[in-house]
Amino acid sequence: MDSDFSIYDIILCTIGIAHISTDPKMEQKYYAINRDLPILIAKKAKMAGVKQFVFFSSMIVFGDDLQINETLFITNTTKPKPSNFYGKSKLEAEIQLLQLVSEDFCVTVIRTPMVYGENCKGNFQKLISFSRKAMIFPDIPNQRSMIYIFNLCEFVLNCLYNNITGIVYPQNSEYVGTSSIIECARKCQGKSVHFITIFNPLLYLVSRRIGLIRKIFGSRIYDRKLSPNIEAYNIFTFEESIQRCVQSIKTVP
């Protein structure tokens, strides 16, 4: 790296690869990008006199989703338990980065829950698109900690202004279930949805074997005590954020 970091006060490290592959051949690439590269950058930044290093980690360090009828409730005593090399590489990066903290160099580790927003990639965007046709949907009472991208941006600004050091846990003010996302998206489209429970027993059963079902209907939340001053950065409500996501889809050619 030939970049001159001495001209910067803060480095935001968003480098990373996520759920691209579970192929064991990819393992070393995950560690190289998610762990080794951020550590290298942080060390160079510290030597150059940078005051703060912000590392975007993930809720994934606590493991994958549980079965549908179980909740992963994360508190300040919950120990990280990553289940794959994506989570392990993030956790190992966190540990080594926090060892660099000194009086003149603070490290902020942001363990984000699911981040969503306009035209984002992944399962959330598919869910919003699916809502257009979802006249019926399974009524499963799951809960998620999530954060809208602009709420996350506001949270990051607060971390920068206050020189926050350590691990932080941003989230929306509301825990949200998958059915709530569908219902809100349909409402923003001027439509309604009918929730049914007839398939719930089958979904509970297949969630034991199929990870995608757990991702859609699983429950994984941060204790609100992990997220102090939550209203300070939640500049958009859940309903407002879904409205903006629905409108963005309408404007895409």
Side-chain angles (χ1 to χ4, degrees):
M1 292 183 297
D2 297 325
S3 301
D4 179 12
F5 288 169
S6 65
I7 62 175
Y8 302 110
D9 294 318
I10 301 164
I11 299 291
L12 297 180
C13 182
T14 59
I15 294 169
I17 55 174
H19 301 287
I20 297 175
S21 173
T22 57
D23 186 343
K25 295 179 181 178
M26 290 285 292
E27 181 171 3
Q28 291 307 311
K29 187 172 184 179
Y30 272 79
Y31 282 104
I33 295 176
N34 290 347
R35 181 193 62 191
D36 300 341
L37 188 54
I39 293 168
L40 180 64
I41 294 172
K43 288 180 177 179
K44 179 179 174 65
K46 184 176 181 178
M47 290 181 62
V50 173
K51 301 301 182 183
Q52 185 171 11
F53 185 85
V54 180
F55 176 67
F56 285 84
S57 187
S58 170
M59 197 182 207
I60 198 66
V61 300
F62 293 103
D64 289 331
D65 294 291
L66 305 178
Q67 295 178 32
I68 287 180
N69 59 345
E70 299 177 358
T71 298
L72 179 56
F73 182 61
I74 299 166
T75 71
N76 61 359
T77 61
T78 304
K79 301 298 183 183
K81 192 178 179 181
S83 59
N84 53 44
F85 41 76
Y86 169 43
K88 290 176 183 177
S89 61
K90 284 289 189 181
L91 181 60
E92 290 186 15
E94 289 183 10
I95 294 170
Q96 294 189 50
L97 287 170
L98 290 171
Q99 291 174 353
L100 298 176
V101 172
S102 66
E103 186 177 337
D104 300 319
F105 187 70
C106 72
V107 174
T108 309
V109 172
I110 303 179
R111 286 180 175 168
T112 59
M114 188 184 81
V115 181
Y116 67 97
E118 293 88 330
N119 303 317
C120 64
K121 296 181 180 180
N123 292 329
F124 179 82
Q125 186 75 353
K126 293 176 182 177
L127 194 63
I128 294 296
S129 297
F130 174 75
S131 70
R132 291 179 170 183
K133 302 178 181 179
M135 293 182 289
I136 61 173
F137 196 79
D139 187 11
I140 293 179
N142 68 314
Q143 289 186 315
R144 287 278 187 184
S145 285
M146 301 166 52
I147 189 160
Y148 180 48
I149 183 62
F150 287 103
N151 290 346
L152 177 59
C153 290
E154 188 71 14
F155 176 82
V156 172
L157 284 175
N158 287 343
C159 289
L160 303 185
Y161 291 145
N162 295 288
N163 298 313
I164 299 298
T165 295
I167 301 173
V168 290
Y169 304 83
Q171 59 180 323
N172 283 348
S173 299
E174 311 95 332
Y175 295 141
V176 178
T178 308
S179 59
S180 299
I181 296 173
I182 292 294
E183 183 177 32
C184 189
R186 294 281 292 179
K187 180 181 178 181
C188 292
Q189 298 163 27
K191 302 175 182 178
S192 61
V193 58
H194 180 65
F195 292 106
I196 58 175
T197 59
I198 189 171
F199 297 114
N200 286 18
L202 177 61
L203 289 170
Y204 289 151
L205 182 63
V206 298
S207 73
R208 297 176 183 178
R209 295 182 175 273
I210 302 177
L212 179 60
I213 300 298
R214 295 194 295 272
K215 282 185 178 181
I216 296 173
F217 295 109
S219 293
R220 184 162 51 168
I221 56 177
Y222 282 141
D223 185 349
R224 296 198 189 283
K225 293 178 182 178
L226 291 174
S227 308
N229 303 317
I230 196 169
E231 300 300 334
Y233 58 87
N234 270 256
I235 56 178
F236 291 97
T237 66
F238 168 70
E239 187 170 345
E240 289 170 340
S241 69
I242 296 299
Q243 176 74 57
R244 290 164 65 94
C245 291
V246 169
Q247 290 176 340
S248 73
I249 292 177
K250 292 179 181 179
T251 60
V252 174

